[in-house]
Every structure is written in structure tokens, then in C-alpha cells.
Amino acid sequence: MPDQAGSPETGSPDALPAAELLALDRQHVWHPYGPMPGRQEPLVVASASGVRLRLAEPSQGHGELVDGMSSWWSAIHGYNHPALNEAVTGQLGRMSHVMFGGLTHEPAVRLAAKLVELTPAGLEHVFLADSGSVSVEVAVKMCLQYWRSVGRPEKSRLLTWRGGYHGDTWQPMAVCDPEGGMHELWSGILPRQLFADAPPSGFSAPVDESYVAHLRSLFAAHRDELAAVIVEPVVQGAGGMRFHNPGYLRVLRELCDEYGVLLILDEIATGFGRTGALFAADHAGITPDVMCLGKALTGGYLTLAATLCTERVADGISQGEVPVLAHGPTFMGNPLATSVALASIDLLLGQDWQGEVKRIEAGLLEGLAPAADLPGVREVRVLGAIGVIQLDHPVDMARATAAAVREGVWLRPFRDLIYTMPPFVTADADVARICRAVMAAAKEA
């Protein structure tokens, strides 16, 4: 699909000069995963359209950058898309927000029904949250309350595997990798959960029976205290951008059924086609008890997430001593967000999205293959619209980012990884350009 770029104005008439804006930013704005004040000056984006970010002032000789990150994996249709713009502006004229307690509205109801239709069979109930991390909090709360409601309060621990990342709020931090991860600071304060070894790498690698035995031993030893297993299916995202065989998801489903444990799949990063399947669970052909969605749910327009569960989980909670799920974000089910989510899903399903993802995958495979011969590169891996170069040393983020910008591309490296998750509308020439930028960043990192 060609880039949908248009020609919007680069800024509003009363826009601050870039230098003044950056001075205020440094004085007042705390950016993610950074100190206060920041040590790296951010680039000022004046507008965005298609797959391009237009800068308020040129950087490294470029006034616009191809976005290789989909704004942290959410903007799958690119920016300023007319169908998504229309969904937001049309809903804005009707109702921008209304509380969801005691009230409902058509966009939220239609979205819930659509998600039930698209996700694996058996996920019948939808709780709309306002961020991916909150959807994980809700998923954990659902599972813990389920066991309390059915008279098994001792089942209160979570099992996950190492190398995972599930968000930055409290319960999600507790199931992120506790060693070497960004939340290691909170070890000893967070709830103590159970960690299996990281799943063996390789989407196409055969299932390792010794690893299956390792998982089984943990289930057997902790069956009476385990409430749920939570994992990122097929792709471990911010914990390391690792891919694993979908067969391990089938193993987890079987072990959860055998030992009486609930299964949560965190599809916040993988949902809506990123891996080549609509949902990563589809690669394995399984249904979890609870599924978390976010990021690409609205096509990157507004913050929205969803936690889906089976009838078993909902009924268990509803028949307990406290028959309600006591959670209610103020902007739950926001009409603007749910309207644009419906439009984004319709836009995705109305095209050959699988063909587009395969096209990008082919471009990434070809463009990143030479990186395997670069000094300092440990591994190159590609799956769907995800391309990763893993180094044998930590990334020099400033140098790597500058190298990518010199190629006219925006990337956000971290840890020992240079990676890209481009929008699905990225044209072949821009995919090739992104690959050149990833290579350049790897050489400088």
C-alpha cells in the first residue's frame, strides 16, 4: 500500500519557536525512561502524515523523518489518515466523553462486540481501560478475584517467563523480568511472583521438550498457589524483542487446564497483525482465559486498551462474595477512542493487511540480512513487520539515534537492540530506507 502522506501545515500560527519550546521542555517536561531534566534534547515534531514526521527544525540535514517505530508500535496506518480523522471529528460533534458508570453508548458497545468477534473463540466479555498497563492490572485483578470468589484465595501468585515486559504500573512491574530489567529497582517491594526460564528463541525452532519439562515442574510444585500464567505470546517486546515457537503457548494452555490455572495473554504489542496473524494466539490456535489489547487498537490516535475474558472468569467473579470487579477508569470507554478504534479495525480488515505485513517482512529480511556480518552484531531476526538487530554490547543511544536520523529515519534503540516496527502502509522504498538506518545505527552503537 502506498504511503498516505498529505501536505498539512507544519505548525499552528501561534506555535512557539523551536528553541523556546525546547527550553520549556527541558525545564518542565519529564520524558519517559529519562531523568529530570533530560540529558538528550528531543526532536520537535510539528506535524505528521503518512509515515513521515515533519520536524519544526531540520536535524542532521532532514526536515522530515520516516517513522520506523509506529509511535511505539501503535500507528499501524501511519498518521493523519482521512478515515481515522473522520471517525474522530464525526464523534467529536456528537459527544467527546461521558462517564461509563450507569451509562453506555454505541461506539463502546460496537467495539466490544467487534473485539469478541475477532479474538479467539470464547472471549465473551470486554473491560475497556485507558492504557495497556492498566489492562494488565485489570487482567491480574480478574484472575485473583476469580479464585477468591470460588473459594480458593490461596491461589494468589502469578507465573511468567523471564525476558518479559508487561507495563510500568504495580502488578505489571511484578511480572517483568526482575533481573536486569528496568524495574529491578523495586525488587523486594513488588509482589513476589514465579519466573520460569525464558522460552527458547526462534519462531520456527522446534519445541524443546526439556523446556516443556521445566514448565511442568513449576506447575506441579506450585499448583496450589498459582492463580494465573501471564506471557507475551510469540514476541517478547520491550523485555528483549525475542521470538519463540507458538507451540509453547499450546503447552501453557494444556498445563493451565491440567493444573487448574488461568492463562493471560498480553497481546498489547502483538495484536492487530504485527506478527503476521491478527493476534499472536492465532499462531497457536488457542484461547486464553484473559487477553489484553492496546497500542494499535486505535491506530495510534488515542489511548485505549481492553481486557477480554471468558464467561467462566466473569461468572466466577459475579457469583462471589463481592460480585463486582471494582475497577473503573474515569475515561473508560471514551467515545472518541472507541470510535476511532472501530474505524482503525475496519480500515485494517478492509485491506490485504496480511499481504502488506508479508511485504514488509520480505523487505526487512532482505535489507537487514547484511547486518549479520557487522562487528558487534549477535543476531538478526525478523517476524512479520518486526525487524531486530541484537548487539553484543549495550547501545549508545545518542550515537545510534543520530546515525538513523542522518539516514532520514526515526528509531528508538534500547538496551542492546536496534529494531524497527514500521507502519503497515510503509512503501518498499521507505522499508529499504529504514533498513539502511537500522544498519547505520548498529554500526555507530
Side-chain angles (χ1 to χ4, degrees), residues 66-69 359-372 374 380-382 384-389 403-404 407-411 418-422 426-443:
V66 175
D67 180 15
M69 304 304 296
R359 176 184 59 79
I360 292 172
E361 181 180 55
L364 293 175
L365 284 166
E366 179 181 0
L368 297 181
L374 293 177
V380 179
R381 47 188 182 265
V382 173
I386 308 170
V388 184
I389 293 178
E407 296 292 330
V409 174
W410 173 249
L411 298 174
I418 315 285
Y419 78 101
T420 180
M421 286 191 181
T426 307
D428 291 342
D430 283 334
V431 173
R433 188 174 190 175
I434 289 170
C435 290
R436 292 193 297 270
V438 172
M439 295 273 288
K443 292 175 184 176

Side-chain angles (χ1 to χ4, degrees), residues 55-421:
L55 304 180
E57 289 190 342
S59 179
Q60 306 284 343
H62 294 280
E64 63 180 26
L65 303 176
V66 175
D67 180 15
M69 304 304 296
S70 299
S71 280
W72 267 333
W73 327 339
S74 63
I76 56 175
H77 307 296
Y79 302 91
N80 200 31
H81 196 289
L84 303 187
N85 290 356
E86 183 180 356
V88 175
T89 55
Q91 180 58 44
L92 185 62
R94 293 185 291 273
M95 173 176 60
S96 61
H97 183 60
V98 65
M99 66 182 291
F100 215 51
L103 301 173
T104 194
H105 52 83
E106 183 176 352
V109 174
R110 288 181 56 212
L111 177 62
K114 177 65 72 174
L115 293 177
V116 168
E117 174 189 340
L118 296 178
T119 53
L123 294 168
E124 297 291 332
H125 306 290
V126 182
F127 188 98
L128 295 169
D130 46 6
S131 75
S133 185
V134 173
S135 77
V136 174
E137 294 277 1
V138 171
V140 171
K141 183 180 284 189
M142 282 180 174
C143 293
L144 297 179
Q145 189 168 343
Y146 170 83
W147 289 114
R148 285 179 175 271
S149 297
V150 299
R152 298 290 305 277
E154 73 279 5
K155 291 175 73 67
S156 60
R157 292 188 74 189
L158 304 173
L159 169 66
T160 188
W161 47 36
R162 292 188 180 275
Y165 173 82
H166 299 278
D168 300 336
T169 54
W170 203 244
Q171 286 288 4
M173 285 199 302
V175 286
C176 295
D177 197 318
E179 296 180 5
M182 65 181 75
H183 302 316
E184 187 175 6
L185 171 68
W186 303 108
S187 297
I189 302 174
L190 291 167
R192 293 181 62 253
Q193 310 298 5
L194 189 64
F195 288 85
D197 295 340
S201 294
F203 180 82
S204 300
V207 170
D208 183 337
E209 292 302 325
S210 66
Y211 184 73
V212 174
H214 166 63
L215 290 175
R216 177 176 288 278
S217 68
L218 291 173
F219 274 84
H222 299 276
R223 64 188 303 171
D224 291 334
E225 62 176 340
L226 281 181
V229 173
I230 178 169
V231 297
E232 298 160 284
V234 176
V235 177
Q236 292 182 287
M241 303 303 297
R242 300 172 72 250
F243 310 150
H244 58 261
N245 188 315
Y248 295 115
L249 304 180
R250 290 190 287 272
V251 168
L252 288 178
R253 178 72 276 176
E254 292 165 3
L255 290 173
C256 284
D257 291 342
E258 180 179 349
Y259 287 95
V261 179
L262 299 175
L263 177 61
I264 304 169
L265 293 187
D266 177 351
E267 293 246 19
I268 292 164
T270 53
F272 304 102
R274 180 60 66 176
T275 67
L278 193 58
F279 300 100
D282 296 338
H283 288 295
I286 66 164
T287 298
D289 299 288
V290 181
M291 176 184 278
C292 300
L293 301 175
K295 289 193 180 292
L297 177 57
T298 69
Y301 266 59
L302 288 163
T303 181
L304 181 70
T307 307
L308 291 83
C309 73
T310 60
E311 189 172 356
R312 170 196 175 191
V313 173
D315 284 353
I317 292 171
S318 298
Q319 294 172 15
E321 181 180 354
V322 180
V324 300
L325 183 65
H327 207 97
T330 299
F331 290 96
M332 180 178 179
N334 173 259
L336 294 175
T338 49
S339 292
V340 78
L342 280 166
S344 178
I345 292 170
D346 287 345
L347 186 61
L348 180 68
L349 300 182
Q351 61 182 300
D352 179 18
W353 65 267
Q354 287 180 305
E356 295 302 304
V357 171
K358 287 179 181 178
R359 176 184 59 79
I360 292 172
E361 181 180 55
L364 293 175
L365 284 166
E366 179 181 0
L368 297 181
D373 297 325
L374 293 177
V377 171
R378 175 176 294 169
E379 186 179 16
V380 179
R381 47 188 182 265
V382 173
L383 177 65
I386 308 170
V388 184
I389 293 178
Q390 184 169 13
L391 307 176
D392 61 8
H393 58 275
V395 170
D396 184 325
M397 184 180 290
R399 286 173 58 88
T401 301
V405 171
R406 282 196 296 272
E407 296 292 330
V409 174
W410 173 249
L411 298 174
R412 181 71 171 173
F414 73 103
R415 287 175 42 176
D416 57 351
L417 301 167
I418 315 285
Y419 78 101
T420 180
M421 286 191 181

